[in-house]
Amino acid sequence: SWAASDESIRSAWQNYTFTATAATPIYSPTISSTANATTSFHELRMGLLEEGEVLVDDVSVREITTAPGTELIQNGTFTGAITPSWRILGNHQTSGIFTDAGNPVLRMRASGPLLYMHNLLETSLKSGASLVPVVNGRQYTVSLRAKWLRGCPWLHTEFYYNKVAKTF
């Protein structure tokens, strides 16, 4: 009775979307008294908050303040190989591409919680081949589809240094 729940039979795909304005978190490293160390990062990070398994597909990030039509995620539909577009770190290392009803999706598996610098999946935000940094004051829309399978029901997404963070 203490095993993780297995919801794979009853589970259905759900859509998740949110929009937020990027801002430097209260607790943030600084380079000097006038410059903030979080201004040149360009990653979306995802992970489960405890041990569990979830299918994820159709990941999208759009900066809607100045370029609403520009997709910043590489391989958000998980066609082909997961790497090099996505980096799988720590206790999420058994994650990978899985076929669900003929569609390639990300099967995210975690043997423990997402941590600040490790135990997660991440990808760089890009427009074409160019890295796109997250800019304070701009709005971003993040969307994805998820199907919960077992264990932890909490999927956390954020830009590096906890900017534009949301837990589903």
Side-chain angles (χ1 to χ4, degrees):
S1 65
W2 293 105
S5 64
D6 183 343
E7 301 298 318
S8 55
I9 294 173
R10 294 186 303 239
S11 186
W13 283 97
Q14 297 178 31
N15 295 314
Y16 298 93
T17 300
F18 75 99
T19 299
T21 302
T24 300
I26 295 171
Y27 299 105
S28 180
T30 55
I31 298 171
S32 69
S33 60
T34 59
N36 188 289
T38 68
T39 58
S40 62
F41 291 100
H42 38 68
E43 284 84 21
L44 171 71
R45 309 167 96 205
M46 300 190 310
L48 292 171
L49 297 184
E50 294 177 8
E51 181 179 351
E53 188 173 347
V54 62
L55 300 180
V56 178
D57 198 15
D58 299 331
V59 178
S60 173
V61 171
R62 295 180 187 275
E63 185 264 299
I64 62 171
T65 305
T66 61
T70 304
E71 177 60 57
L72 301 178
I73 289 293
Q74 315 167 69
N75 196 16
T77 58
F78 303 101
T79 55
I82 193 166
T83 58
S85 300
W86 290 84
R87 296 173 292 283
I88 305 171
L89 305 171
N91 65 21
H92 285 61
Q93 68 187 350
T94 59
S95 300
I97 303 296
F98 175 77
T99 301
D100 181 62
N103 183 39
V105 299
L106 169 66
R107 177 183 243 161
M108 185 182 296
R109 291 180 175 159
S111 59
L114 162 139
L115 295 175
Y116 171 67
M117 293 295 291
H118 208 56
N119 299 337
L120 50 87
L121 283 83
E122 68 180 6
T123 188
S124 297
L125 302 177
K126 286 186 168 184
S127 178
S130 301
L131 293 171
V132 177
V134 176
V135 178
N136 286 344
R138 292 189 182 170
Q139 285 194 319
Y140 294 83
T141 296
V142 178
S143 63
L144 58 88
R145 293 184 324 123
K147 181 178 179 181
W148 306 101
L149 299 180
R150 59 187 54 85
C152 179
W154 303 296
L155 171 64
H156 183 76
T157 64
E158 67 182 34
F159 295 162
Y160 204 86
Y161 275 107
N162 206 29
K163 292 183 176 187
V164 187
K166 179 74 171 177
T167 301
F168 302 106

